Amino acid sequence: MKFYSHSRRRIIIGLSTAGILTALPLTALPAGSKRRPNKPVHSIPATSKASPLPDQTFAHMVLNRLGYGITPGIMDETYFQGLGATDADRLSQFVDQQLAGGHDVYVNQRINQAGTYETLNLTLNQLWVDYHIDENNQTSSSRPVQEHMRLKFLRSTYSLFPLRERIAEFWQNHFSIYGYDYYARSVWSSWDRDVIRSHMLGNFKDFLIATARHPAMLYYLDNYNNSRSEPNENYGRELIELHTLGVENYYGLAQPHEVPTITVNESGGPWPANGVIQQYYVDNDVYETARCLTGWRVNDSSSLGDTGEFFYDSGRHDNFAKSVLTGGFQNFSANQGETDGYEVMEMLAYHPGTAKHIAGKLARAFISDNPPQQVIDDVATIFYDNRYAPNQLELVFKALFNHAAFSDPQYWQSKVKRPFDVVVSAMRACDADFTLQPDDSDSNSFEYRMDDTGHFPYEWRPPDGFPTRSDFWLNSTALVHTWKTVDWLIDHDSSSNPLLPIVPYAVKHFQGLPASELTPDNLLNYWMSRIFDQSPIGGWAGDSVFESIMQFFLTRPEDQSYPQWPRSNNIPMEDLANNNWPYYWHERLRGAVKLMLASPYFMQR
């Protein structure tokens, strides 16, 4: 209808200018389409804030930070209050329950309902045979990754354990692989299940080794092609710069003996007898690490069975002595073979710099783009002190989420939701009824729109993962295409059933009330309170976002013979339910909810 397209366009421009794009500082979009240079310069931007949600509750903050927002009637203020007597108790109980996991009944129902997720339980070898070797006999060699791209939305939207989805997302980003990489795409179900989800709360060294041995990583960062005659340092460099020490621990163009040292309490294997190692790394450590990992390949030869599994090729290994992080002194004996690789990963996993690097990434992902140094130091201590523990990472996450900095109100709403977060939290808040599937038309249409946001799961090409800092996503392309995706979800029907049942929920709510209650004020109050899981004392009237949306909601019809509807006048129920001319309340309400979901209140974590 012309009313809808013209009037809503005016108000969205108004909200974008007055509410979002001026309240949140915009910066130049960093380059992200090409592989990261070897020695990037990282900077952590200052924390950015928009107009905050008034009187945000502790529960609302936790559910947005550690999940994807509220799910009315399932995971909301009432649910959270029932977890304990104090906020600290409730947070601790929530974290414990989420990390423990359990039967994810709604996710499993959706998967069973779809009936088309065929690769989830296949072993690595089955995936390799069916989707790599025999790809011409399959619908597509990309089937495994395509299923998981859509399954990520389904899991995040319907999971009873959204924190586990957040954690899996963090590690998928940390050990980032482009999903459509030729070899990764056919074995993605194994990568997600056997590597990420199986190790994400376990021991980091074991996790690191599992990533290094998987064909997805071996091929993506070229270690399968790393041999003594043709050394390839690509994986060795990213192993140090991204997965362990991080570029903040790079000492620059220096020789190993010039690097400051620290003393660690380690012994045996590659560790020097006096425990003295380099505090930082230099390029020589990258080259030596790559030598340690020569011969780590994939069994992709018909003469060996072509299983797709890890294969150590002793004939390609560099058997000479090596020096990593020891000032140039050789700490890897000659002729150790495959052991070189395991020992170098132990050194990197147990290095104090790795603890600090990962603690910093976690704090920036879950608290603020500019978190206090104390939380980084405290979490790094837990990481390092528990480096041998089988549940090391579980202890790290508990320390992070129960830290005083996590609950400090000055850091609430200090991060902007990325496009995936916005869309999933909108689906949860509006009680979506949308079972994404690998191969149906609605899911295809959804993917086309979501792709344009730049934040579709597993589609980041460089190995550094999707940016988590807010300023990266504050650009018109990401914002507009995110809102367009939410618009499509609200407007689209599947088999005559709306994907996001905006009007049906309103009709159901007001049918049990006197007809005089169905007024513009009450209708928008109902949806604001539902989406934000709170209602200010006296209602939302007078709030700047609410009043801007009300201005749109009460726009006079194009036929000027009809007046602007008074905000306190009741709306006939049949007009709302049937979208009757000339006010088209059905469309007005959908448009109003879209504006709520595009508001600064909803766009922040």
Side-chain angles (χ1 to χ4, degrees), residues 79-92:
Y79 151 81
F80 192 79
Q81 292 298 321
L83 294 176
T86 67
D87 280 342
D89 290 341
R90 289 186 279 267
L91 173 59
S92 178

Side-chain angles (χ1 to χ4, degrees), residues 224-233 290-291 293-295 297 313-320:
Y224 80 102
N225 200 30
N226 181 21
S227 69
R228 63 187 180 189
S229 60
E230 296 181 86
N232 188 309
E233 70 181 60
R291 291 179 61 208
L293 292 163
T294 49
R297 303 188 64 196
D313 187 344
S314 59
R316 293 168 63 92
H317 184 66
D318 182 336
N319 281 305
F320 291 99

Side-chain angles (χ1 to χ4, degrees), residues 514-592:
S516 59
E517 290 294 309
L518 184 53
T519 65
D521 257 329
N522 290 340
L523 188 55
L524 295 195
N525 256 292
Y526 164 73
W527 266 105
M528 286 283 284
S529 299
R530 181 181 176 88
I531 286 173
F532 299 110
D533 200 26
Q534 65 184 78
S535 183
I537 297 174
W540 285 94
D543 175 85
S544 59
V545 169
F546 180 85
E547 293 300 332
S548 295
I549 297 172
M550 181 64 74
Q551 180 184 351
F552 153 76
F553 194 61
L554 297 180
T555 303
R556 188 172 183 176
E558 279 196 337
D559 186 337
Q560 295 296 298
S561 62
Y562 291 89
Q564 183 180 44
W565 197 275
R567 62 192 291 168
S568 58
N569 276 20
N570 68 292
I571 301 168
M573 178 65 75
E574 61 273 17
D575 285 1
L576 172 63
N578 299 322
N579 201 36
N580 289 341
W581 176 87
Y583 290 94
Y584 301 112
W585 292 111
H586 193 302
E587 292 187 21
R588 287 175 185 255
L589 179 58
R590 295 203 315 269

Side-chain angles (χ1 to χ4, degrees), residues 327-382:
F329 295 100
Q330 292 178 342
N331 55 325
F332 287 78
S333 302
N335 300 312
Q336 289 196 141
E338 186 179 350
T339 300
D340 282 349
Y342 298 117
E343 288 190 346
V344 77
M345 280 188 275
E346 177 181 300
M347 285 199 78
L348 294 170
Y350 291 172
H351 193 290
T354 294
K356 294 177 182 178
H357 172 60
I358 293 177
K361 285 190 70 171
L362 286 167
R364 290 189 289 274
F366 285 96
I367 296 178
S368 167
D369 287 346
N370 189 27
Q373 187 62 41
Q374 189 62 54
V375 67
I376 297 174
D377 293 342
D378 291 346
V379 172
T381 297
I382 298 297

Side-chain angles (χ1 to χ4, degrees), residues 79-251:
Y79 151 81
F80 192 79
Q81 292 298 321
L83 294 176
T86 67
D87 280 342
D89 290 341
R90 289 186 279 267
L91 173 59
S92 178
Q93 182 70 9
F94 176 78
V95 170
D96 287 350
Q97 288 182 0
Q98 288 288 303
L99 295 184
H103 182 53
D104 216 341
V105 57
Y106 299 123
V107 171
N108 293 336
Q109 286 176 355
R110 294 280 169 173
I111 292 174
N112 293 334
Q113 177 184 339
T116 51
Y117 285 97
E118 61 189 38
T119 75
L120 303 191
N121 298 315
L122 298 182
T123 66
L124 171 59
N125 178 246
Q126 288 173 321
L127 291 164
W128 183 264
V129 171
D130 291 349
Y131 294 92
H132 182 74
I133 296 176
D134 295 337
E135 64 173 303
N136 293 330
N137 296 327
Q138 298 294 333
T139 303
S140 171
S141 62
S142 300
R143 177 78 183 203
V145 73
Q146 288 173 341
E147 287 191 1
H148 280 270
M149 286 173 169
R150 298 184 183 191
L151 183 63
K152 182 61 183 174
F153 283 96
L154 192 152
R155 281 173 165 163
S156 300
T157 301
Y158 296 105
S159 180
L160 294 172
F161 308 102
L163 178 54
R164 293 179 66 90
E165 289 305 310
R166 280 274 187 206
I167 291 172
E169 179 184 315
F170 173 84
W171 290 119
Q172 288 277 16
N173 222 40
H174 183 76
F175 296 111
S176 183
I177 295 176
Y178 175 53
Y180 280 114
D181 188 71
Y182 178 66
Y183 293 93
R185 66 193 187 194
S186 60
V187 294
W188 199 266
S189 299
S190 170
W191 172 255
D192 180 78
R193 179 191 64 236
D194 303 332
V195 177
I196 300 298
R197 294 177 185 272
S198 293
H199 293 86
M200 66 184 188
L201 297 176
N203 179 270
F204 182 74
K205 185 191 79 170
D206 295 343
F207 198 173
L208 193 64
I209 292 171
T211 65
R213 287 169 53 95
H214 198 275
M217 183 66 77
L218 282 162
Y219 278 108
Y220 176 62
L221 289 180
D222 305 319
N223 203 59
Y224 80 102
N225 200 30
N226 181 21
S227 69
R228 63 187 180 189
S229 60
E230 296 181 86
N232 188 309
E233 70 181 60
N234 198 31
Y235 175 66
R237 184 170 296 280
E238 308 303 5
L239 173 65
I240 296 178
E241 291 192 357
L242 295 176
H243 301 166
T244 56
L245 292 172
V247 291
E248 64 265 38
N249 285 302
Y250 176 57
Y251 199 65

